Amino acid sequence: MNSKLGKSYSALEDMFIDRSNSDEMLVCEILPNLETSPKQILGPGTSLWAASPLMYLKYLYLFVDSMVQDEFDNPRHQLAVHGNLPQDVIPTIHASVIGSPIREMVSRYGASTPCYLLRINLDIDSLPMGDFKSILMLETPLLSSISCTTSIFSYGDKILETREVQNSLRYQDSSNLYKFDFVKDYWTAFLNGFQYLENYFEESRVAIQSLTMIQVFGTSDIDQDIPLLCLAYEFSVGDGSVNIQQIIETDLEL
């Protein structure tokens, strides 16, 4: 587990999960020094493609809050964390080397929508029984209601699909942040089930690697959703790191 990253964010995460605080105050504390793009209000005649980038991932933190806590145990188990990464240093990967259903996502949306692959190395060492929780933050210059359609696949077959709509958590006048779910109930049941496996590490590794998750984010306050960003996730057992790559369909000219 990346304990340095976990410790540096722990106080901020505690603030974010405490919903008694205002969203604006929480976001100001979590991301105080981000470079932002000019805000755009989405309305009649607004071109969605006028802003670049339209939306990108700012922060992802996955963890489990233990059911049983005492003074000697850390009540929070960090599964994975990803902080802000400058867009110009994200490596690329060609869609042809990625399996279905991610390849199908790129075929459907990739011509007009940025698509990214996140390979998440979940730290499940000493994983406790508890509630799965997440902080998934996205930034966009658009001021709009944003939808998120999440699809989970096991061995390539879709087993779950959810949709949620969120409004902006505005921390500065120049940009907007949105916080989305990571299918909490599914992941809580999935991870807690590992406690009953006879061969914990081997069986849990196989189960985790069988999963693929896709999230499509788009505007939701006009006649139809227009996609802004696609995130695809592959999972493995590891050190809690997250590797991100932009998925491309054509070879880049040098």
Side-chain angles (χ1 to χ4, degrees):
M1 178 173 65
N2 191 332
S3 58
K4 185 177 180 180
L5 266 176
K7 289 179 180 178
S8 65
Y9 285 115
S10 60
L12 302 181
E13 291 147 6
D14 287 336
M15 288 186 62
F16 203 100
I17 296 165
D18 180 7
R19 304 310 295 180
S20 64
N21 293 322
S22 72
D23 286 335
E24 185 172 351
M25 289 292 294
L26 296 175
V27 176
C28 283
E29 289 293 331
I30 289 177
L31 301 169
N33 298 311
L34 292 179
E35 294 183 1
T36 58
S37 304
K39 180 178 65 177
Q40 293 192 7
I41 299 176
L42 187 63
T46 299
S47 171
L48 284 174
W49 313 117
S52 178
L54 288 176
M55 174 174 282
Y56 50 93
L57 177 66
K58 274 297 182 183
Y59 182 63
L60 174 65
Y61 180 51
L62 309 178
F63 59 97
V64 171
D65 275 346
S66 176
M67 289 181 179
V68 180
Q69 301 178 13
D70 59 46
E71 60 181 326
F72 302 105
D73 292 332
N74 184 351
R76 178 166 300 163
H77 178 92
Q78 177 177 306
L79 294 166
V81 63
H82 166 76
N84 182 39
L85 183 65
Q87 298 294 294
D88 59 354
V89 301
I90 295 178
T92 60
I93 184 171
H94 200 279
S96 62
V97 301
I98 304 173
S100 178
I102 299 176
R103 194 167 58 247
E104 296 173 4
M105 174 199 74
V106 177
S107 177
R108 180 176 180 182
Y109 298 105
S112 59
T113 307
C115 298
Y116 294 89
L117 171 64
L118 286 82
R119 290 192 165 113
I120 299 182
N121 305 297
L122 295 173
D123 180 1
I124 62 168
D125 188 24
S126 302
L127 180 68
M129 291 278 286
D131 292 327
F132 172 87
K133 295 182 181 179
S134 63
I135 302 174
L136 173 62
M137 301 291 298
L138 303 173
E139 183 181 9
T140 176
L142 300 174
L143 179 56
S144 170
S145 294
I146 301 294
S147 67
C148 172
T149 299
T150 301
S151 303
I152 296 181
F153 302 81
S154 178
Y155 295 103
D157 295 325
K158 186 186 293 186
I159 59 175
L160 179 67
E161 185 167 278
T162 65
R163 184 178 186 273
E164 64 174 315
V165 177
Q166 296 291 343
N167 294 315
S168 172
L169 307 175
R170 296 171 58 188
Y171 75 104
Q172 287 183 354
D173 287 340
S174 59
S175 191
N176 299 279
L177 290 180
Y178 294 80
K179 178 179 181 292
F180 288 94
D181 187 32
F182 211 77
V183 201
K184 174 183 181 296
D185 291 341
Y186 173 83
W187 280 98
T188 294
F190 179 75
L191 294 174
N192 284 340
F194 293 169
Q195 306 298 326
Y196 304 102
L197 298 177
E198 293 184 6
N199 188 342
Y200 175 83
F201 280 105
E202 179 59 23
E203 293 183 64
S204 59
R205 180 188 64 80
V206 171
I208 287 171
Q209 290 180 346
S210 74
L211 294 181
T212 301
M213 194 169 92
I214 291 174
Q215 292 186 306
V216 179
F217 303 89
T219 61
S220 64
D221 57 353
I222 51 181
D223 292 340
Q224 61 181 3
D225 289 359
I226 296 181
L228 302 174
L229 176 70
C230 298
L231 299 180
Y233 305 84
E234 292 181 340
F235 303 92
S236 62
V237 175
D239 59 0
S241 61
V242 178
N243 302 314
I244 183 169
Q245 297 169 291
Q246 183 171 7
I247 307 172
I248 60 174
E249 289 189 283
T250 57
D251 295 329
L252 297 177
E253 296 183 2
L254 299 178

